[in-house]
């Protein structure tokens, strides 16, 4: 689809509120003001209902066709009366009707002073209550997806079960008592922080953000390594001396395989250290990223036929010295020997930390508790590069303003399951259908769909 033909769901000039955790939608919610529909004389009643219906339909199921919603629309507005349980146990309710029509009921008079405001029930806020029965909307309300469209995507691709069976229909109407379950990996992908852009789900390059993960070797680096091995294999084939000539045979090519292995080990150790956010300072991260950036072309250079171990080790030695190592080798031969050993390479990279490692016996009680807590967090929330979301898992940004669950849902976040307890109802001064618009707008929209055609 061309860029010009794409639908813009979140615009800032004429914003429409959506069922989404997008930062643009959050900004539009923050800027939202009362549309003041029905307060001016220049609009007809038809125009007022049309505007109110457009605002509400942009929020309540904008991905649903209008004719589908009209079939779902119900004239019944469910509500309940809040009654005191102790009062209901003592009386049967007949005393509330006593005196009505006989003149015995008390009325407010001017001498009575301040008159208590009348408690109202916002029935009209229940205009889109049938929409809450849809499976995709219920998944979004249960905080299992970051938008209603994403919840629909999960249902279509078989990530959702209803009463133990896979449900592929987002328009499925839930009945009281139905239990639906979403795949936990899908929920963590929807509600967790995404990976840095520019990488695939299974492989991510090292970036400057702390939210990025250290993954396996990049494909480009593997290709360069394979190319270097092929160049080495072709270089090892030394032609035999022609007996009819007096030219001296060419000297055999130097074996660059240990040098390339040393560069790869140093790169791997640098990536592993860079993945530990809490142990590496900002300046050390910058040094490590600079080293990784220069190590990639150096590995490619080591696979060329004209490369010599002396040149490669000299450049590698200078790169290691720029890391400000306290125990850096003095000459190139010692640098090659230290780099060829994985233990020495790990020690060289770990030495870039500011503080020397401490043993467990040197920790006090508070530090020991903190260490135990960190170990427990690592076990419960480990880093897994194969996951399509950021690991260790962290909540998605801009999630907290939308983190509320309606009363008609019972949600268990541990197993990513929820139960649709009952249909939403209206109570005194409150309604259970989440909506960003007021009573007047909902009333006009309800009247629009209430008309007979």
């Amino acid at each position: 689809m061309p860029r010009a033909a794409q639908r813009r769901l979140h615009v800032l000039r004429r914003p429409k509120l959506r069922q989404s955790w997008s930062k643009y939608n959050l900004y539009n919610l923050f800027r939202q003001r009362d549309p003041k529909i029905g307060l001016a004389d220049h609009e007809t009643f038809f125009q007022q209902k049309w505007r109110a219906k457009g605002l509400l339909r942009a929020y309540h199921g904008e991905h649903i066709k209008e004719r589908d919603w009209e079939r779902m629309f119900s004239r019944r507005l469910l509500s309940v009366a809040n009654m005191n349980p102790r009062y209901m146990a003592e009386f049967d309710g007949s005393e509330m009707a006593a005196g009505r029509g006989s003149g015995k009921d008390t009325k407010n008079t001017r001498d009575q002073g301040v008159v208590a405001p009348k408690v109202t029930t916002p029935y009209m806020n229940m205009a889109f209550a049938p929409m809450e029965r849809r499976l995709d909307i219920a998944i979004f309300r249960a905080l299992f997806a970051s938008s209603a469209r994403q919840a629909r995507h999960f249902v279509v691709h078989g990530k959702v079960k209803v009463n133990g069976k896979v449900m592929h229909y987002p328009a499925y109407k839930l009945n009281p008592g139905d239990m639906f379950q979403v795949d936990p990996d899908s929920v963590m992908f929807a509600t967790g922080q995404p990976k840095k852009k520019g990488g695939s789900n299974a492989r991510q390059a090292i970036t400057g953000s702390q939210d990025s993960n250290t993954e396996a070797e990049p494909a480009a680096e593997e290709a360069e390594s394979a190319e270097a091995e092929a160049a080495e294999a072709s270089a090892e084939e030394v032609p035999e001396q022609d007996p009819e000539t007096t030219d001296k045979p060419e000297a055999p090519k130097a074996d660059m395989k240990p040098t390339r292995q040393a560069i790869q080990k140093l790169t791997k150790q640098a990536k592993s250290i860079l993945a530990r956010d809490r142990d590496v300072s900002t300046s050390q991260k910058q040094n490590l990223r600079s080293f990784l950036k220069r190590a990639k072309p150096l590995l490619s250079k080591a696979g060329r036929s004209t490369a010599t171990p002396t040149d490669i080790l000299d450049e590698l030695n200078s790169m290691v010295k720029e890391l400000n190592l306290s125990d850096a080798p003095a000459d190139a031969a010692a640098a090659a020997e230290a780099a060829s050993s994985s233990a020495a390479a790990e020690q060289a990279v770990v030495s870039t930390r500011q503080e020397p490692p401490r043993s467990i016996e040197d920790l006090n009680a508070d530090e020991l508790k903190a260490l135990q807590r960190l170990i427990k967090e690592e076990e419960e929330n480990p880093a897994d590069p194969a996951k399509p979301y950021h690991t260790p898992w962290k909540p998605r940004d801009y999630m907290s303003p939308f983190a509320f669950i309606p009363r008609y849902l019972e949600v268990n976040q541990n197993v990513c399951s929820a139960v649709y307890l009952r249909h939403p109802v209206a109570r005194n001064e409150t309604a259970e259908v989440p909506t960003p618009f007021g009573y007047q707008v909902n009333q006009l929209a309800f009247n629009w769909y209430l008309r007979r055609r």
Side-chain angles (χ1 to χ4, degrees):
M1 178 182 294
R3 183 177 299 274
Q6 291 182 358
R7 294 185 60 188
R8 298 184 61 187
L9 298 179
H10 306 285
V11 295
L12 300 181
R13 169 173 284 184
R14 299 182 62 184
K16 289 187 177 181
L17 307 183
R18 310 288 184 180
Q19 291 178 340
S20 171
W21 295 355
S22 170
K23 60 182 178 181
Y24 304 105
N25 188 56
L26 179 60
Y27 178 71
N28 292 336
L29 279 170
F30 174 75
R31 293 179 58 217
Q32 175 67 17
R33 299 294 183 268
D34 185 7
K36 298 181 180 180
I37 302 177
L39 303 180
D41 297 335
H42 64 277
E43 289 182 334
T44 63
F45 188 47
F46 178 89
Q47 292 173 338
Q48 295 172 15
K49 294 188 295 183
W50 176 266
R51 283 185 57 198
K53 166 257 195 185
L55 292 175
L56 284 173
R57 282 291 286 119
Y59 178 80
H60 293 279
E62 49 86 19
H63 61 288
I64 303 171
K65 296 180 180 179
E66 184 69 11
R67 61 174 178 268
D68 294 340
W69 156 241
E70 290 179 353
R71 286 195 293 265
M72 294 169 54
F73 175 74
S74 175
R75 295 170 177 266
R76 295 189 308 163
L77 299 177
L78 302 180
S79 63
V80 296
N82 293 333
M83 303 290 292
N84 189 351
R86 180 175 298 179
Y87 179 85
M88 296 176 63
E90 295 179 359
F91 303 95
D92 58 357
S94 59
E95 72 286 347
M96 299 183 64
R100 290 185 178 180
S102 63
K104 297 181 180 180
D105 51 336
T106 59
K107 298 181 180 180
N108 293 329
T109 60
R110 295 181 179 180
D111 300 336
Q112 201 170 356
V114 179
V115 179
K118 185 179 180 180
V119 178
T120 59
T121 302
Y123 297 101
M124 294 304 165
N125 284 11
M126 303 293 297
F128 287 86
M131 194 78 75
E132 303 297 315
R133 291 185 58 187
R134 284 181 57 103
L135 179 59
D136 53 354
I137 302 297
I139 292 173
F140 172 72
R141 299 297 186 198
L143 305 182
F144 293 156
S146 60
S147 66
R149 285 178 174 268
Q150 189 179 51
R152 180 183 182 278
H153 178 82
F154 290 162
V155 178
V156 170
H157 288 269
K159 305 296 184 180
V160 180
K161 293 182 179 180
V162 177
N163 297 329
K165 296 182 179 180
V166 178
M167 177 60 62
H168 294 278
Y169 302 100
Y172 176 79
K173 307 298 187 301
L174 294 172
N175 296 313
D178 285 349
M179 183 182 72
F180 57 92
Q181 182 179 7
V182 187
D183 179 47
D185 285 342
S186 300
V187 175
M188 297 183 72
F189 169 77
T191 59
Q193 291 186 2
K195 283 188 176 182
K196 192 70 175 177
K197 293 183 179 180
S200 61
N201 293 343
R203 183 178 67 249
Q204 192 77 11
I206 294 181
T207 60
S209 174
Q210 292 185 356
D211 296 336
S212 60
N213 291 339
T214 303
E215 308 281 345
E217 296 292 333
E221 185 173 334
E222 294 178 358
E224 292 176 359
S225 178
E227 181 182 355
E229 292 179 0
E232 178 190 359
S234 61
E236 288 177 353
E237 298 177 359
V238 181
E240 297 181 357
Q241 174 66 21
D242 189 358
E244 297 181 358
T245 62
T246 58
D247 297 336
K248 295 182 179 180
E250 296 182 359
K253 298 294 183 180
D255 187 9
M256 299 296 297
K257 188 173 182 179
T259 306
R260 288 186 289 102
Q261 291 179 352
I263 299 175
Q264 292 175 355
K265 289 181 180 179
L266 274 176
T267 304
K268 185 177 180 180
Q269 294 297 331
K271 289 181 179 180
S272 63
I273 297 302
L274 189 60
R276 307 168 189 171
D277 294 344
R278 62 177 64 92
D279 296 338
V280 186
S281 64
T282 304
S283 61
Q284 294 169 351
K285 288 182 180 180
Q286 294 176 355
N287 294 336
L288 288 172
R289 295 188 193 105
S290 177
F291 175 80
L292 293 171
K293 187 176 181 180
R294 296 175 57 185
K296 185 176 179 181
L298 183 63
L299 182 64
S300 177
K301 183 179 178 181
R304 299 175 185 174
S305 59
T306 57
T308 59
T310 305
D311 298 338
I312 301 299
L313 291 177
D314 288 342
E315 188 172 353
L316 182 62
N317 188 22
S318 63
M319 292 169 56
V320 173
K321 287 183 178 180
E322 290 181 2
L323 289 176
N324 298 325
L325 302 180
S326 59
D327 54 349
D331 53 355
E337 183 180 357
S340 61
S341 169
S342 60
E346 181 178 4
Q347 181 66 24
V349 181
V350 172
S351 62
T352 59
R353 303 175 186 175
Q354 294 180 351
E355 298 182 359
R358 300 169 57 188
S359 60
I360 299 180
E361 290 78 5
D362 300 336
L363 302 179
N364 54 31
D366 296 337
E367 294 177 345
L368 187 59
K369 290 182 180 179
L371 179 60
Q372 293 176 353
R373 183 175 66 254
L374 291 176
I375 294 175
K376 185 178 180 181
E377 291 177 357
E378 290 290 340
E379 294 176 353
E380 296 178 353
N381 190 14
D384 189 355
K387 298 296 183 180
Y389 46 84
H390 173 269
T391 53
W393 186 88
K394 297 180 181 178
R396 182 180 289 269
D397 294 335
Y398 313 107
M399 176 182 175
S400 56
F402 306 96
F404 69 95
I405 299 175
R407 299 175 64 177
Y408 55 84
L409 291 177
E410 184 70 25
V411 181
N412 188 338
Q413 300 290 349
N414 295 327
V415 293
C416 300
S417 300
V419 178
Y420 185 79
L421 299 176
R422 50 177 173 76
H423 300 318
V425 296
R427 304 175 182 271
N428 291 344
E429 299 183 339
T430 183
E432 292 183 349
V433 176
T435 178
F437 298 98
Y439 185 86
Q440 182 73 13
V441 180
N442 283 268
Q443 183 182 23
L444 291 171
F446 181 78
N447 286 324
W448 169 268
Y449 293 106
L450 194 62
R451 63 177 183 174
R452 297 182 181 273
R453 294 177 174 81

